[in-house]
Amino acid sequence: MFSGSIPALVTPFDDGGAFVESAYRDLIDWQIAEGSSALVACGTTGEAATLSKEEHFAVVRICVDQAKGRVPVIAGAGSNDTRVAAENLIAAHEAGADAALMVPPYYNRPSQDGIYQHFAALAVDAPLPIVLYNVPGRTVTDIQPATLIRIVQAFPKVFVGVKDASGVLTRVSDHRAALGDDFAQISGNDDLALAFNAVGGTGCISVTANVAPRLCADFQTACAANDFAAARAIHDRLFALHASLFTDASPGPVKYAMTKVRPGFPQGLRLPMTWPGEASRKAIDAGLTAADL
């Protein structure tokens, strides 16, 4: 259902922390014009953790309105409270999203069976497809392959893909052996996307695509055509930038990079996120130069 370069959109804020709708709409148009195949609104990179529920789904609604059906919109909608996650799915559907991106419960650290039961409860009345989002570096909770396979096999029409940020490349093969090629496996790590696609991945939900949407789209097109020589050349060009965007707490670095490639882009972040330090900014500048951006 999903493939290619899918930016995890930043959410523009002014210096006072207010959402800048005009900048967001411009960003969406630029992303689509540059070849992005779908958009993620209000994910981790979109600072969803600092948005109220009303703000969160207002931003999703604006993304859907600006995309105008040109590409699908995936709304971040996860929660560590199953009841709240169910409410978020309804809100994402009402906002017009095409799918929801859902992390397993964080902080309360359920067992593998608890993870399964969480998603099984959501699947019963799910009003739109769900892309699982496994990011144990942030949630601590890790959807093990056997659990993910159990979830998808039980509800194949609901769970259509995974954004895998575990960093464990063998999981692509584990998942594909059990679920086939129709289940979308999407990398959550830009720096691993080349290897991820080589073993069966279908795309990347990308931080770097905020800054370099055309290069990220061309990279994914090359991978889909099995032209891994061309893909590797783009990967090499972007590798320093990929790394630099995580030299300080994300999304501070990518927002700094946005001001370099989109002059006038709002510089605001909401606490506890802060502007990247000097060493990070120098690394980003070098990454942008290496990528000829």
Side-chain angles (χ1 to χ4, degrees):
M1 186 175 182
F2 296 106
S3 62
S5 179
I6 305 172
L9 294 173
V10 296
T11 304
F13 298 126
D14 66 19
D15 290 342
F19 173 58
V20 184
E21 181 177 334
S22 59
Y24 195 56
R25 289 183 180 273
D26 288 346
L27 174 62
I28 289 163
D29 282 343
W30 182 54
Q31 288 290 334
I32 295 172
E34 293 290 288
S36 298
S37 59
L39 304 169
V40 170
C42 299
T44 306
T45 309
E47 294 175 79
T50 69
L51 297 170
S52 70
K53 183 174 180 177
E54 292 73 21
E55 288 177 317
H56 184 128
F57 292 103
V59 171
V60 173
R61 196 173 298 110
I62 289 165
C63 187
V64 170
D65 179 69
Q66 193 64 26
K68 295 180 174 62
R70 290 175 288 174
V71 297
V73 173
I74 306 169
S79 174
N80 65 334
D81 181 333
T82 306
R83 292 170 297 177
V84 172
E87 293 169 359
N88 288 348
L89 278 174
I90 294 169
H93 176 65
E94 291 176 345
D98 298 283
L101 185 66
M102 307 287 286
V103 294
Y106 42 86
Y107 186 76
N108 36 8
R109 300 177 67 180
S111 66
Q112 291 298 304
D113 188 59
I115 295 170
Y116 172 82
Q117 296 299 339
H118 171 80
F119 285 114
L122 296 178
V124 173
D125 295 312
L128 74 178
I130 295 172
V131 176
L132 297 163
Y133 179 16
N134 195 31
V135 57
R138 286 187 178 272
T139 64
V140 181
T141 311
D142 184 6
I143 311 174
Q144 292 290 319
T147 302
L148 185 142
I149 292 163
R150 180 186 177 197
I151 292 165
V152 177
Q153 288 181 336
F155 306 98
K157 294 183 179 179
V158 175
F159 299 100
V160 298
V162 62
K163 175 186 177 182
D164 192 330
S166 70
V168 185
L169 291 172
T170 54
R171 292 186 177 186
V172 183
S173 297
D174 290 333
H175 298 155
R176 194 159 61 90
L179 302 173
D181 291 332
D182 290 338
F183 181 71
Q185 296 200 66
I186 305 166
S187 177
N189 302 91
D190 282 292
D191 58 347
L192 294 178
L194 178 64
F196 191 96
N197 285 347
V199 291
T202 61
C204 183
I205 292 180
S206 169
V207 174
T208 304
N210 279 283
V211 182
R214 173 55 64 187
L215 284 172
C216 289
D218 288 349
F219 167 80
Q220 291 294 338
T221 297
C223 288
N226 288 317
D227 186 353
F228 284 99
R232 187 169 57 250
I234 299 172
H235 166 84
D236 289 347
R237 180 175 168 184
L238 287 173
F239 189 74
L241 181 60
H242 293 331
S244 74
L245 295 180
F246 291 90
T247 51
D248 210 328
S250 183
V254 70
K255 281 198 161 180
Y256 169 75
M258 290 296 295
T259 68
K260 296 294 185 177
V261 299
R262 303 281 287 175
F265 193 83
Q267 298 185 23
L269 290 142
R270 286 187 175 178
L271 288 171
M273 295 296 99
T274 56
W275 204 238
E278 182 180 359
S280 178
R281 297 195 303 271
K282 286 182 177 179
I284 296 160
D285 291 341
L288 291 169
T289 299
D292 195 24
L293 293 170

